[in-house]
Amino acid sequence: MTRLTLVMLLTVLPFLPVLARTDDVGEAANLVGLGGALVLWWQVVLGVRQVSERLCGDRLRVVALHRWLGGCGAFLVLLHPLLETIANHQDPAYLVVLDFSWVESTYTSYGRLALLLFLALWLTSTLLRSAIRHRLWRSVHYVSYPLAGLVFLHAYGIGTFLTDLPWLRAYWLALAGCLALVTAWRLAVPLWAPRYRVVAKTRLTPTVTQYTVAPVGRRRVRRPAPGQFCYLRLRALSRAHPFSVVGQDEDGALTFAVKRAGPFTARLERLGRDAGLRLDGPYGTFTRQAGTDDRPTVLIAGGIGVTPFVDLVRRHAGPRMSLTHIVASPAEAAFRDELRDRLGRRYTAAYRADPRARYFVCGSPGFVEATTGDLRADGVRRDQLFTEHFDC
């Protein structure tokens, strides 16, 4: 995160000189608006994993930062129009009435449209999140791209600081250009993602199927480290889904174990031999510190949450590594017998706090939250805990 934090601070520096010029409500509104736009810019950048991965390899930390910035952005984006309303002595209708009759009102209306899009984005990500399906939430999230574009147009057309300070205006245009490039990258990456084909398919349990895929041609994803995951998509422009790599060979073939849990995994089950896929990755740093020294490594898996640990155990199983595989049902007990053989007595049904151990917890969000809560209550320190979760 150090590199990402440094880059974020550098993007803020050009705005610091204008703080001295902020001495009334109108200028405060402009500064708040610029700050909100920069937060939105970073949210779009961090939302493109192929870009953010180059700044920080820990995808879960990036997602957490993305969510935190969402709260900051909401405050700034909502405060800006309120301050503008006060500064211009307008009634509340000023926030939503669109007017494209002349130049300044057109740029102002770009801001009003951005506000309406932001409200839709904010409401579906907060108050309405538990009431809507993930697919709808994700679709609404795509408005962040036109939203950011409208915000930059709005500020460019009527922003006081951008009009008065040519160097700040040039910086603003550079940010807008970077935003356009990031958006283009986001749209184009699926088209050149490496192609793979299904070479083997094995039913491990009634609900878990193992797939081995081999690269088509010379292009392939980087060799995954233990515990990393890749995104799979069935077609170039279809939605990608993340799955942990449970095996790999020297020829570049990768193996995934997938629990049947929705429409995408049902479509995967219907794939035949030589069916095509596209892969993106690998991502993640979840188990990077597991087995790196003489400290005990405790792996705690909930159901199919065992998959990030499979390749790790196969490569690095040792006397100081143990696994607690908490299985919701026998149908999810994939790899149980193999891991028992590799770890022997170190495959347990419970865990015990150890001040020297590192604890790695993977499973559904509810499982991870409950398990980490139990570990913390047992005295495990926060710096000993490493977690990864996914929605089945």
Side-chain angles (χ1 to χ4, degrees), residues 19 32 41 45 58-59 62 86 111 113 144 146 148 163 175 198 215 246 262 296 348 353 369 379 387:
L19 288 174
V32 168
W41 186 89
V45 170
D58 191 335
R59 183 66 187 159
V62 170
I86 294 171
L113 286 173
S144 60
T163 302
L175 288 177
V198 178
V246 299
T348 64
E369 182 179 359
T387 62

Side-chain angles (χ1 to χ4, degrees), residues 200-222:
K201 179 178 172 183
T202 307
R203 181 64 61 87
L204 300 180
T205 74
T207 62
V208 178
T209 302
Q210 179 172 279
Y211 304 86
T212 299
V213 298
V216 176
R218 301 182 64 180
R219 296 189 63 242
R220 61 191 65 185
V221 300
R222 301 188 314 275

